[in-house]
Amino acid sequence: MEHLNIFIKAIFIENMIFAYFLGMCSYLAISKTVKSAIGLGLAVTFVLSISVPTCYLLEKYILKAGALQWLSSDLAAIDLSFLSFIMFIATIASIVQLVEMIIEKYAPALYSSLGIFLPLIAVNCSILGGALFMQEREYATLGEASVFGLGSGVGWFLAIVALSAIREKLRYSNVPAPLRGLGITFILTGLMAIAFMSFMGISL
Amino acid sequence: MSKETTAAPAKEKIPKEPLFSAKNKRLLYDPLNDNNPITVQVLGICSALAVTVKMKPAIVMALAVMVVCAFSNLIISLIRNIIPNRIRIIVQLTVVAAMVIIVDQFLKAFVFDVSKQLSVFVGLIITNCIIMGRLEAFAMANKPWPSFLDGIGNGLGYGIILVIVSIVRELLGSGALMGFQIIPESLYKMGYFNNSLIIMPPMALIIVGIIIWIQRSRNQKLIESK
């Protein structure tokens, strides 16, 4: 039950885009068509659900204060948490590289549909954001951390697909020229985020 | 991402000293308007919106981004010729992450309350697209000094939007600026209320949308084609 709560919360209430604005850059840039939005959304979900548990293990067994106790009791006093940024980003960058190579080898069809999006993900703020939120909220088990990663990914996926669907329809409407493109997309995202705020009342 | 060539002519006359030639000055001023990282290049929006409820964290964040952007541009530009092309993203991320750790420790030591308010967003400067974007688009191909200026310019351009958004949000949302009450007590007695909607995260997006609208109607060449 606890896991389901975290999952639902990560998708709707603490949605990466509408509550924290993480991964906005690629969200705005790649939401012009539904097809590419789905590709990027899948890739982000995939990488988030792998990288958050990995960072959790890293945090628990290497970085936290006293985490090195499993190596030897002399190391119990060491606190490496100031290194977490550099460790997390290095992990994420290498996971993205690894995932890219694995998909290229075993699922060429998926690779060609994700294409250029995979390398872009290393610098998508939502991935590092997921890892840092996991660290800040101190999830108790590996299961909780993985469910949180998957949930945030699904939330991001939903958000980008929804926006791209709206933008495809928007092509037929007459937007004032200075607002065209970027401006109206910002306002749209704001309105969608207001709509998502209605989930905030739900307590899980 | 728009190229450096879309720049408008610089307003300043060419000074004698070579360090601030017209070209270098343009690197500083361009990102403030014609090539603004947020409203034109669409970079670094992620953190721009979440830290703008109050003016103080917004200013601290803007300074932090400016410092990281300038110095990582400088460092990458210094070593640009010896970075192997295939792993350049990891090299860039490592340099940026090291800079961010320094800034983060500095903030924790001197302005702890602001650093608590910014929470994960200081860490997220690492993946702030402004920094990666400028490294890729500028520092990898230019000499250290112009790269440094470019970093400062883009940091300023980012900061200016952050400050505008946070002024609107703090003034209308809490009736204060930098924590000082601006809207007088008597107005509240007459029935004035703070607009609590504007403190909510979505309003930041709408305010940036309106800023883009105003900027583009003043600056027609930025308008996107249909």
Side-chain angles (χ1 to χ4, degrees), chain A residues 12-184:
Chain A
F12 293 110
I13 304 171
E14 286 162 352
N15 187 295
M16 276 287 178
I17 285 183
F18 295 134
Y20 297 106
F21 309 120
L22 295 180
M24 281 301 267
C25 317
S26 36
Y27 174 78
L28 293 174
I30 312 197
S31 58
K32 286 200 180 98
T33 59
V34 174
K35 194 160 170 271
S36 54
I38 290 179
L40 183 68
L42 280 180
V44 166
T45 313
F46 194 58
V47 173
L48 255 177
S49 54
I50 296 177
S51 67
V52 172
T54 317
C55 289
Y56 173 82
L57 292 177
L58 204 65
E59 159 86 3
K60 188 168 180 194
Y61 292 109
I62 296 181
L63 294 173
K64 229 197 273 179
L68 286 171
Q69 212 161 9
W70 59 275
L71 269 177
S72 106
S73 51
D74 304 337
L75 301 175
I78 297 178
D79 179 3
L80 291 179
S81 51
F82 70 94
L83 282 179
S84 51
F85 293 158
I86 208 165
M87 291 288 269
F88 285 173
I89 196 68
T91 315
I92 289 166
S94 41
I95 285 179
V96 170
Q97 200 83 55
L98 210 66
V99 164
E100 194 183 345
M101 288 194 285
I102 292 174
I103 294 185
E104 192 178 6
K105 178 110 174 58
Y106 293 104
L110 182 64
Y111 180 76
S112 57
S113 66
L114 292 183
I116 51 158
F117 300 132
L118 270 173
L120 278 181
I121 289 174
V123 285
N124 187 322
C125 336
S126 62
I127 313 283
L128 184 65
L132 292 178
F133 276 130
M134 176 275 299
Q135 185 189 31
E136 199 181 67
R137 292 179 194 157
E138 296 171 344
Y139 287 114
T141 62
L142 181 61
E144 284 184 14
S146 336
V147 165
F148 168 72
L150 182 66
S152 331
V154 173
W156 205 91
F157 175 81
L158 280 180
I160 194 169
V161 172
L163 181 71
S164 62
I166 297 178
R167 281 183 82 173
E168 280 201 350
K169 291 284 171 218
L170 207 63
R171 238 175 269 156
Y172 304 111
S173 45
N174 192 9
V175 181
L179 206 54
R180 216 180 284 151
L182 192 59
I184 194 71

Side-chain angles (χ1 to χ4, degrees), chain B:
Chain B
M1 193 181 317
S2 49
K3 292 277 177 321
E4 313 307 318
T5 47
T6 55
K11 289 174 186 70
E12 260 62 21
K13 292 278 167 298
I14 301 166
K16 301 284 178 288
E17 48 184 350
L19 270 186
F20 286 100
S21 58
K23 197 161 149 269
N24 284 347
K25 278 205 166 169
R26 221 171 62 188
L27 291 176
L28 269 181
Y29 295 129
D30 238 23
L32 292 185
N33 184 10
D34 282 352
N35 205 6
N36 189 288
I38 293 182
T39 60
V40 182
Q41 303 178 54
V42 208
L43 295 175
I45 296 147
C46 327
S47 54
L49 303 172
V51 298
T52 49
V53 179
K54 293 253 153 47
M55 218 173 139
K56 202 172 161 199
I59 291 178
V60 172
M61 184 72 185
L63 285 178
V65 168
M66 194 168 89
V67 168
V68 173
C69 196
F71 283 96
S72 45
N73 256 2
L74 180 68
I75 294 173
I76 289 293
S77 172
L78 282 173
I79 59 173
R80 69 183 187 283
N81 291 328
I82 53 171
I83 302 175
N85 198 34
R86 283 193 70 86
I87 60 160
R88 66 179 193 285
I89 299 230
I90 297 183
V91 174
Q92 288 164 358
L93 282 176
T94 318
V95 170
V96 177
M99 295 304 306
V100 170
I101 289 178
I102 295 173
V103 168
D104 183 46
Q105 299 290 329
F106 184 85
L107 290 182
K108 275 190 185 140
F110 292 102
V111 277
F112 188 72
D113 53 326
V114 179
S115 139
K116 265 273 158 290
Q117 276 175 32
L118 292 175
S119 77
V120 298
F121 290 99
V122 178
L124 287 174
I125 296 178
I126 300 173
T127 49
N128 193 317
C129 337
I130 291 182
I131 293 168
M132 288 302 289
R134 293 328 290 171
L135 290 179
E136 275 286 292
F138 200 87
M140 289 298 281
N142 283 283
K143 293 214 170 70
W145 175 246
S147 307
F148 185 74
L149 287 182
D150 182 72
I152 292 202
N154 278 285
L156 279 178
Y158 171 85
I160 213 164
I161 300 289
L162 239 68
V163 169
I164 293 174
V165 175
S166 65
I167 285 177
V168 173
R169 288 181 79 186
E170 194 173 358
L171 193 61
L172 297 181
S174 348
L177 280 181
M178 297 288 284
F180 297 110
Q181 196 65 29
I182 296 286
I183 305 223
E185 198 59 41
S186 52
L187 212 59
Y188 285 101
K189 290 211 180 82
M190 284 159 68
Y192 175 81
F193 282 101
N194 284 329
N195 186 345
S196 52
L197 185 66
I198 219 150
I199 299 182
M200 300 289 178
M203 287 311 289
L205 283 165
I206 294 180
I207 293 172
V208 175
I210 293 171
I211 291 176
I212 293 175
W213 191 359
I214 295 172
Q215 190 195 7
R216 291 194 179 174
S217 39
R218 291 172 60 93
N219 199 340
Q220 299 284 336
K221 65 176 175 289
L222 295 176
I223 291 177
E224 290 173 40
S225 56
K226 235 186 176 170

